Amino acid sequence: MDQTFLVNVFGSCDRCFKQRALRPVFKKSEQLNYCSLCVEIMAADGLHENETLASLKSEAESLKGKLEEERAKLHDVELHQVAERVEALGQFVMKTRRTLKGHGNKVLCMDWCKDKRRLVSSSQDGKVIVWDSFTTNKEHAVTMPCTWVMACAYAPSGCAIACGGLDNKCSVYPLTFDKNENMAAKKKSVAMHTNYLSACSFTNSDMQILTASGDGTCALWDVESGQLLQSFHGHGADVLCLDLAPSETGNTFVSGGCDKKAMVWDMRSGQCVQAFETHESDINSVRYYPSGDAFASGSDDATCRLYDLRADREVAIYSKESIIFGASSVDFSLSGRLLFAGYNDYTINVWDVLKGSRVSILFGHENRVSTLRVSPDGTAFCSGSWDHTLRVWA
Amino acid sequence: MAASPAPLGGHPRVQRPHLSKMERMVVTMQDPDQGVRMRSQRLLVTVIPHAVNGSDIVEWLMQKYSIAEDEALHLGSLLVQHGYLYPLRDPRRLELRPDETPYRFQTPYFWTSTLWPAAELDYAIYLAKKNIRKQGTLVDHEKEHYHQLHRKINHAWDLVMMQAREQLRAAKQRRKGDRLVIACQEQTYWLVNRPPPGAPSVLEQGPGRGPCTAGRVPMTKTLDFYRREVECLRRALGRARVKSSTCLEAYLKFSSQHGPHDPIMSGCLPSNPWVTDDDAYWAMNAPSVAMPTRLRVEQWAFSFRELLEDPVGRAHFMDFLGQEFSAENLSFWEACEELRHGGQAQVPALVDAVYQQFLAPGAARWVNIDSRTMEQTLAGLTQPHRHVLDDAQRHIYLLMKKDSYPRFLKSDLYRDLRAEAVVPWRPSDGEPGCARGSGRGRAAARPFSPAGCSCSWKPCTPAPALLSFRLGLWGARGWRW
């Protein structure tokens, strides 16, 4: 008796890459293997996936080309030309004024408190420490249940901190001065991502947190309930950094990722408002210019760049042939004249934002500088490094 | 390196771009005409060709990249730490000494980009060779590794020992100079890839990024991704742009306006707390201080946003609005801010409260919004959400900014605030307390309070003798800049 056998081939589906039973699909004499779930999804889309994907790709490319043309039309002068009238800065002396020792492993992230002297820092071994950096005393310490705590933030009220990393979550810890109370007991899990948390920041209040993750998305969360208020999709790879805009309407933020793109988002609609793709490697850090009209980015391609939001283009590149290691974090001085950038070659370079020249190089750390923030009143800046220490410079 | 699936966009990720840059640098350094001066180095009884001095390396870097000596030394040290240069004497320590110490360039075979990650088998062979050649030359951590590997790849141990012996035999047939060089090269490679405890590992990376990491599922839904990208690009094309010259001029204006307010650029009075360990500056500029400083009051005139961001400024502005019977505008704006940034759970109650107080017909503090915005807002109130009052808030904000704010700046209230504002005094002892800009920055520090100021810190007009002494002080002592 004849019997028909259906051979089940198991393998990796060409669409979702999961290990499933595969069905062969022939497109233009090329065989692709999809799992049954993907076949149904594609049928529901009503499209032949390959064809639309190719046409969308080419459409995106041609639109990018047009956008570059449009941007170039209004570009009538370079920043260093305009800055010729500005006085050059004199010799610069900044020294380490405080060294915070206490982390047992690489310091990955730090954030200042609004009181201009406290700060929170997180490290690879899971420890998150709140310091009064003026006295170098440790005020609070909590150990996270995961390693590589890559993001931490201080709440605007000064009453809580947020942190997260390889646990894919962002947790908020209220700060209590009761010595008997265990900080970890009151921990609140706010954000849930499907990959590591790379950056987090409170918005104007303690009630909302903005997060960026290795899963390629950013998200806005309500702290009290843990509810997702808005998610931001558009990066093609891990998102590594974000910064909230100091604008008048206060509704945008910028993010940078491994896809070399810096994207500006509207927090209300979740849509990408502007995108810039001129870096040659991962963007490790983004920071707004104090006026909110521009932002700077630091990247693994050893350059920092300034992007103007009104002109909608890159307006300056801060690079030097002798600087070959990536910039891990950047921040502006209060007037926006100086850009401080921490690099993976253990140094901090200070750039004249207007003239584009390097004003000074600061040595001191013994391993890569992973995080750098100027204090809220601009009197100093703090750098954290893989050498287990934080330094306050002024 | 292992192949990896390309991320969206189709360009393969270049991991560690700094390595290829270092390699280019090292290749340039070896250029016969433009590179570092090479010489033959006498070592024990052999002569090693193509060696370079530490000091020559530093000088070459200084000249090529126009950098100072400390930076050149640092850059050279990084090259040595990453194994692109190795010391001929004492190869255990990977550091650059700016003197006659001889170095050589690592062979490309051992470059990190060629031969990474280092294979355990190779390490076992290397340690075995060392052990066989001279018993007891293995350092502690190497001994540990050796035993660990012996346990781990026990099944292949015969292969390891055989390879080790073969390599040693082949090495014996080479000239002494070559043998020495190859040994140094190999040792450097392993110092970089298996650093001794305590030494930082230069090859260490953070947690894996991007789709190249093993075990990561690449971005699915590529169709959605491209659709979104196309939409974003279409929107971006329709964006209104401003001429570059206008935008860039704005930076100049902003920097010059805010320069005197930037403590790192222009110093701060009485002193920078981080430098002098005196937190008087913070006390004087506390968020809700009774008497704000002159600089702070002046900053309120820069932009409406900066006035509102300062609690003291906002309070004075509220007083001013009270005088003009339009204080409800600012209160409404504050309530909207609370709504936008507050907790989700409070949204319905807050929206209701705002409606009752500000928007309802006949409300106690009714705000004057144009009829179209009012209609839209009231319609939206049936389904309250965080952003339901955004349009109304923007309208009121612009009203205050265009109308009340300029009047505030011209008002007697503001003028009096400026006149009464505190101008801090620099303490007469100790070194100048903050970093300074070029000479012109001195004017901004205003160490002398003008007559008529009600500064509560020191007498306003200093005694003449003190004055001349202080002038002498500025001149004699050089600035830290």
Side-chain angles (χ1 to χ4, degrees), chain A residues 232-258:
Chain A
F232 306 90
H233 297 261
H235 275 288
D238 307 19
V239 187
L240 298 176
C241 51
L242 61 79
D243 191 33
L244 280 151
S247 72
E248 296 189 292
T249 42
N251 246 347
T252 59
F253 73 95
V254 63
S255 66
C258 286

PDB file of all heavy atoms in Angstrom, chain A residues 232-258:
ATOM      1  N   PHE A 232       9.608  53.377  22.416  1.00  0.00           N
ATOM      2  CA  PHE A 232      10.233  54.067  21.293  1.00  0.00           C
ATOM      3  C   PHE A 232      11.036  53.057  20.486  1.00  0.00           C
ATOM      4  O   PHE A 232      12.070  52.577  20.918  1.00  0.00           O
ATOM      5  CB  PHE A 232      11.144  55.183  21.812  1.00  0.00           C
ATOM      6  CG  PHE A 232      10.430  56.138  22.744  1.00  0.00           C
ATOM      7  CD1 PHE A 232      10.402  55.897  24.110  1.00  0.00           C
ATOM      8  CD2 PHE A 232       9.772  57.250  22.258  1.00  0.00           C
ATOM      9  CE1 PHE A 232       9.730  56.762  24.972  1.00  0.00           C
ATOM     10  CE2 PHE A 232       9.105  58.121  23.104  1.00  0.00           C
ATOM     11  CZ  PHE A 232       9.081  57.875  24.463  1.00  0.00           C
ATOM     12  N   HIS A 233      10.519  52.746  19.305  1.00  0.00           N
ATOM     13  CA  HIS A 233      11.176  51.772  18.433  1.00  0.00           C
ATOM     14  C   HIS A 233      11.753  52.468  17.224  1.00  0.00           C
ATOM     15  O   HIS A 233      11.133  53.357  16.652  1.00  0.00           O
ATOM     16  CB  HIS A 233      10.162  50.732  17.951  1.00  0.00           C
ATOM     17  CG  HIS A 233       9.586  49.922  19.055  1.00  0.00           C
ATOM     18  ND1 HIS A 233      10.041  48.658  19.363  1.00  0.00           N
ATOM     19  CD2 HIS A 233       8.614  50.197  19.941  1.00  0.00           C
ATOM     20  CE1 HIS A 233       9.350  48.200  20.391  1.00  0.00           C
ATOM     21  NE2 HIS A 233       8.493  49.092  20.760  1.00  0.00           N
ATOM     22  N   GLY A 234      12.897  52.028  16.799  1.00  0.00           N
ATOM     23  CA  GLY A 234      13.470  52.647  15.600  1.00  0.00           C
ATOM     24  C   GLY A 234      14.951  52.349  15.482  1.00  0.00           C
ATOM     25  O   GLY A 234      15.501  52.330  14.392  1.00  0.00           O
ATOM     26  N   HIS A 235      15.614  52.114  16.619  1.00  0.00           N
ATOM     27  CA  HIS A 235      17.028  51.756  16.536  1.00  0.00           C
ATOM     28  C   HIS A 235      17.154  50.347  15.981  1.00  0.00           C
ATOM     29  O   HIS A 235      16.346  49.485  16.286  1.00  0.00           O
ATOM     30  CB  HIS A 235      17.678  51.816  17.920  1.00  0.00           C
ATOM     31  CG  HIS A 235      18.152  53.183  18.299  1.00  0.00           C
ATOM     32  ND1 HIS A 235      19.252  53.780  17.718  1.00  0.00           N
ATOM     33  CD2 HIS A 235      17.686  54.083  19.190  1.00  0.00           C
ATOM     34  CE1 HIS A 235      19.437  54.975  18.247  1.00  0.00           C
ATOM     35  NE2 HIS A 235      18.496  55.190  19.141  1.00  0.00           N
ATOM     36  N   GLY A 236      18.195  50.148  15.176  1.00  0.00           N
ATOM     37  CA  GLY A 236      18.397  48.836  14.579  1.00  0.00           C
ATOM     38  C   GLY A 236      19.309  47.946  15.393  1.00  0.00           C
ATOM     39  O   GLY A 236      19.617  46.827  14.995  1.00  0.00           O
ATOM     40  N   ALA A 237      19.755  48.436  16.539  1.00  0.00           N
ATOM     41  CA  ALA A 237      20.651  47.638  17.381  1.00  0.00           C
ATOM     42  C   ALA A 237      20.547  48.193  18.796  1.00  0.00           C
ATOM     43  O   ALA A 237      19.712  49.041  19.069  1.00  0.00           O
ATOM     44  CB  ALA A 237      22.076  47.729  16.849  1.00  0.00           C
ATOM     45  N   ASP A 238      21.411  47.726  19.688  1.00  0.00           N
ATOM     46  CA  ASP A 238      21.341  48.144  21.096  1.00  0.00           C
ATOM     47  C   ASP A 238      21.338  49.664  21.231  1.00  0.00           C
ATOM     48  O   ASP A 238      22.090  50.348  20.548  1.00  0.00           O
ATOM     49  CB  ASP A 238      22.575  47.642  21.862  1.00  0.00           C
ATOM     50  CG  ASP A 238      22.787  46.154  21.702  1.00  0.00           C
ATOM     51  OD1 ASP A 238      22.236  45.565  20.747  1.00  0.00           O
ATOM     52  OD2 ASP A 238      23.526  45.604  22.508  1.00  0.00           O
ATOM     53  N   VAL A 239      20.516  50.169  22.136  1.00  0.00           N
ATOM     54  CA  VAL A 239      20.544  51.581  22.473  1.00  0.00           C
ATOM     55  C   VAL A 239      21.456  51.711  23.679  1.00  0.00           C
ATOM     56  O   VAL A 239      21.280  51.011  24.670  1.00  0.00           O
ATOM     57  CB  VAL A 239      19.140  52.110  22.828  1.00  0.00           C
ATOM     58  CG1 VAL A 239      19.184  53.608  23.009  1.00  0.00           C
ATOM     59  CG2 VAL A 239      18.139  51.741  21.752  1.00  0.00           C
ATOM     60  N   LEU A 240      22.441  52.608  23.607  1.00  0.00           N
ATOM     61  CA  LEU A 240      23.437  52.670  24.665  1.00  0.00           C
ATOM     62  C   LEU A 240      23.308  53.863  25.591  1.00  0.00           C
ATOM     63  O   LEU A 240      23.894  53.871  26.667  1.00  0.00           O
ATOM     64  CB  LEU A 240      24.836  52.689  24.051  1.00  0.00           C
ATOM     65  CG  LEU A 240      25.195  51.460  23.240  1.00  0.00           C
ATOM     66  CD1 LEU A 240      26.562  51.632  22.615  1.00  0.00           C
ATOM     67  CD2 LEU A 240      25.197  50.223  24.126  1.00  0.00           C
ATOM     68  N   CYS A 241      22.584  54.899  25.161  1.00  0.00           N
ATOM     69  CA  CYS A 241      22.576  56.111  25.973  1.00  0.00           C
ATOM     70  C   CYS A 241      21.351  56.940  25.648  1.00  0.00           C
ATOM     71  O   CYS A 241      20.757  56.774  24.579  1.00  0.00           O
ATOM     72  CB  CYS A 241      23.826  56.919  25.681  1.00  0.00           C
ATOM     73  SG  CYS A 241      24.061  57.166  23.919  1.00  0.00           S
ATOM     74  N   LEU A 242      20.996  57.812  26.569  1.00  0.00           N
ATOM     75  CA  LEU A 242      19.916  58.752  26.287  1.00  0.00           C
ATOM     76  C   LEU A 242      20.103  60.014  27.119  1.00  0.00           C
ATOM     77  O   LEU A 242      20.841  60.024  28.109  1.00  0.00           O
ATOM     78  CB  LEU A 242      18.552  58.111  26.559  1.00  0.00           C
ATOM     79  CG  LEU A 242      18.185  57.609  27.953  1.00  0.00           C
ATOM     80  CD1 LEU A 242      17.753  58.699  28.905  1.00  0.00           C
ATOM     81  CD2 LEU A 242      17.020  56.623  27.832  1.00  0.00           C
ATOM     82  N   ASP A 243      19.456  61.099  26.688  1.00  0.00           N
ATOM     83  CA  ASP A 243      19.485  62.335  27.469  1.00  0.00           C
ATOM     84  C   ASP A 243      18.203  63.098  27.215  1.00  0.00           C
ATOM     85  O   ASP A 243      17.743  63.187  26.071  1.00  0.00           O
ATOM     86  CB  ASP A 243      20.705  63.190  27.090  1.00  0.00           C
ATOM     87  CG  ASP A 243      20.912  64.340  28.059  1.00  0.00           C
ATOM     88  OD1 ASP A 243      20.610  64.172  29.259  1.00  0.00           O
ATOM     89  OD2 ASP A 243      21.357  65.414  27.632  1.00  0.00           O
ATOM     90  N   LEU A 244      17.637  63.674  28.280  1.00  0.00           N
ATOM     91  CA  LEU A 244      16.390  64.430  28.156  1.00  0.00           C
ATOM     92  C   LEU A 244      16.690  65.866  27.761  1.00  0.00           C
ATOM     93  O   LEU A 244      17.661  66.458  28.215  1.00  0.00           O
ATOM     94  CB  LEU A 244      15.652  64.426  29.500  1.00  0.00           C
ATOM     95  CG  LEU A 244      14.887  63.136  29.758  1.00  0.00           C
ATOM     96  CD1 LEU A 244      14.790  62.869  31.229  1.00  0.00           C
ATOM     97  CD2 LEU A 244      13.505  63.226  29.157  1.00  0.00           C
ATOM     98  N   ALA A 245      15.826  66.450  26.953  1.00  0.00           N
ATOM     99  CA  ALA A 245      16.061  67.796  26.462  1.00  0.00           C
ATOM    100  C   ALA A 245      15.667  68.839  27.488  1.00  0.00           C
ATOM    101  O   ALA A 245      14.632  68.715  28.125  1.00  0.00           O
ATOM    102  CB  ALA A 245      15.263  68.024  25.180  1.00  0.00           C
ATOM    103  N   PRO A 246      16.478  69.899  27.638  1.00  0.00           N
ATOM    104  CA  PRO A 246      16.107  70.986  28.527  1.00  0.00           C
ATOM    105  C   PRO A 246      15.221  72.009  27.828  1.00  0.00           C
ATOM    106  O   PRO A 246      15.292  73.174  28.089  1.00  0.00           O
ATOM    107  CB  PRO A 246      17.456  71.615  28.877  1.00  0.00           C
ATOM    108  CG  PRO A 246      18.280  71.396  27.669  1.00  0.00           C
ATOM    109  CD  PRO A 246      17.815  70.106  27.056  1.00  0.00           C
ATOM    110  N   SER A 247      14.427  71.570  26.907  1.00  0.00           N
ATOM    111  CA  SER A 247      13.682  72.533  26.102  1.00  0.00           C
ATOM    112  C   SER A 247      12.494  73.079  26.869  1.00  0.00           C
ATOM    113  O   SER A 247      12.129  72.581  27.923  1.00  0.00           O
ATOM    114  CB  SER A 247      13.197  71.868  24.815  1.00  0.00           C
ATOM    115  OG  SER A 247      12.155  70.981  25.124  1.00  0.00           O
ATOM    116  N   GLU A 248      11.897  74.102  26.302  1.00  0.00           N
ATOM    117  CA  GLU A 248      10.807  74.775  27.004  1.00  0.00           C
ATOM    118  C   GLU A 248       9.595  73.894  27.138  1.00  0.00           C
ATOM    119  O   GLU A 248       8.916  73.893  28.157  1.00  0.00           O
ATOM    120  CB  GLU A 248      10.439  76.047  26.237  1.00  0.00           C
ATOM    121  CG  GLU A 248      11.582  77.035  26.212  1.00  0.00           C
ATOM    122  CD  GLU A 248      11.155  78.355  25.647  1.00  0.00           C
ATOM    123  OE1 GLU A 248      10.855  78.400  24.442  1.00  0.00           O
ATOM    124  OE2 GLU A 248      11.120  79.325  26.399  1.00  0.00           O
ATOM    125  N   THR A 249       9.301  73.163  26.086  1.00  0.00           N
ATOM    126  CA  THR A 249       8.124  72.300  26.165  1.00  0.00           C
ATOM    127  C   THR A 249       8.477  70.958  26.797  1.00  0.00           C
ATOM    128  O   THR A 249       7.610  70.194  27.146  1.00  0.00           O
ATOM    129  CB  THR A 249       7.548  72.072  24.763  1.00  0.00           C
ATOM    130  OG1 THR A 249       8.630  71.859  23.869  1.00  0.00           O
ATOM    131  CG2 THR A 249       6.764  73.274  24.330  1.00  0.00           C
ATOM    132  N   GLY A 250       9.775  70.684  26.900  1.00  0.00           N
ATOM    133  CA  GLY A 250      10.238  69.513  27.640  1.00  0.00           C
ATOM    134  C   GLY A 250       9.653  68.198  27.196  1.00  0.00           C
ATOM    135  O   GLY A 250       9.268  67.383  28.013  1.00  0.00           O
ATOM    136  N   ASN A 251       9.592  67.957  25.919  1.00  0.00           N
ATOM    137  CA  ASN A 251       8.924  66.747  25.478  1.00  0.00           C
ATOM    138  C   ASN A 251       9.750  65.867  24.568  1.00  0.00           C
ATOM    139  O   ASN A 251       9.193  65.008  23.912  1.00  0.00           O
ATOM    140  CB  ASN A 251       7.642  67.120  24.727  1.00  0.00           C
ATOM    141  CG  ASN A 251       6.428  66.652  25.500  1.00  0.00           C
ATOM    142  OD1 ASN A 251       6.546  65.875  26.426  1.00  0.00           O
ATOM    143  ND2 ASN A 251       5.282  67.120  25.077  1.00  0.00           N
ATOM    144  N   THR A 252      11.044  66.120  24.485  1.00  0.00           N
ATOM    145  CA  THR A 252      11.851  65.280  23.599  1.00  0.00           C
ATOM    146  C   THR A 252      13.065  64.748  24.341  1.00  0.00           C
ATOM    147  O   THR A 252      13.451  65.247  25.391  1.00  0.00           O
ATOM    148  CB  THR A 252      12.351  66.065  22.373  1.00  0.00           C
ATOM    149  OG1 THR A 252      13.130  67.167  22.834  1.00  0.00           O
ATOM    150  CG2 THR A 252      11.219  66.547  21.517  1.00  0.00           C
ATOM    151  N   PHE A 253      13.639  63.694  23.776  1.00  0.00           N
ATOM    152  CA  PHE A 253      14.904  63.204  24.290  1.00  0.00           C
ATOM    153  C   PHE A 253      15.687  62.615  23.120  1.00  0.00           C
ATOM    154  O   PHE A 253      15.132  62.333  22.067  1.00  0.00           O
ATOM    155  CB  PHE A 253      14.707  62.172  25.416  1.00  0.00           C
ATOM    156  CG  PHE A 253      14.221  60.820  24.958  1.00  0.00           C
ATOM    157  CD1 PHE A 253      15.110  59.790  24.713  1.00  0.00           C
ATOM    158  CD2 PHE A 253      12.865  60.576  24.782  1.00  0.00           C
ATOM    159  CE1 PHE A 253      14.660  58.539  24.309  1.00  0.00           C
ATOM    160  CE2 PHE A 253      12.410  59.329  24.383  1.00  0.00           C
ATOM    161  CZ  PHE A 253      13.310  58.307  24.148  1.00  0.00           C
ATOM    162  N   VAL A 254      16.988  62.464  23.323  1.00  0.00           N
ATOM    163  CA  VAL A 254      17.837  61.919  22.268  1.00  0.00           C
ATOM    164  C   VAL A 254      18.433  60.605  22.757  1.00  0.00           C
ATOM    165  O   VAL A 254      18.700  60.437  23.948  1.00  0.00           O
ATOM    166  CB  VAL A 254      18.951  62.929  21.869  1.00  0.00           C
ATOM    167  CG1 VAL A 254      19.878  63.201  23.027  1.00  0.00           C
ATOM    168  CG2 VAL A 254      19.724  62.438  20.670  1.00  0.00           C
ATOM    169  N   SER A 255      18.613  59.661  21.841  1.00  0.00           N
ATOM    170  CA  SER A 255      19.226  58.385  22.209  1.00  0.00           C
ATOM    171  C   SER A 255      20.271  58.032  21.165  1.00  0.00           C
ATOM    172  O   SER A 255      20.177  58.442  20.010  1.00  0.00           O
ATOM    173  CB  SER A 255      18.167  57.283  22.261  1.00  0.00           C
ATOM    174  OG  SER A 255      17.651  57.055  20.963  1.00  0.00           O
ATOM    175  N   GLY A 256      21.282  57.257  21.581  1.00  0.00           N
ATOM    176  CA  GLY A 256      22.321  56.832  20.651  1.00  0.00           C
ATOM    177  C   GLY A 256      22.533  55.341  20.796  1.00  0.00           C
ATOM    178  O   GLY A 256      22.362  54.792  21.885  1.00  0.00           O
ATOM    179  N   GLY A 257      22.917  54.685  19.700  1.00  0.00           N
ATOM    180  CA  GLY A 257      23.004  53.234  19.784  1.00  0.00           C
ATOM    181  C   GLY A 257      24.113  52.618  18.968  1.00  0.00           C
ATOM    182  O   GLY A 257      24.936  53.315  18.361  1.00  0.00           O
ATOM    183  N   CYS A 258      24.114  51.286  18.955  1.00  0.00           N
ATOM    184  CA  CYS A 258      25.128  50.530  18.233  1.00  0.00           C
ATOM    185  C   CYS A 258      24.919  50.592  16.729  1.00  0.00           C
ATOM    186  O   CYS A 258      25.781  50.160  15.964  1.00  0.00           O
ATOM    187  CB  CYS A 258      25.102  49.063  18.650  1.00  0.00           C
ATOM    188  SG  CYS A 258      25.796  48.806  20.267  1.00  0.00           S
TER     189      CYS A 258
END
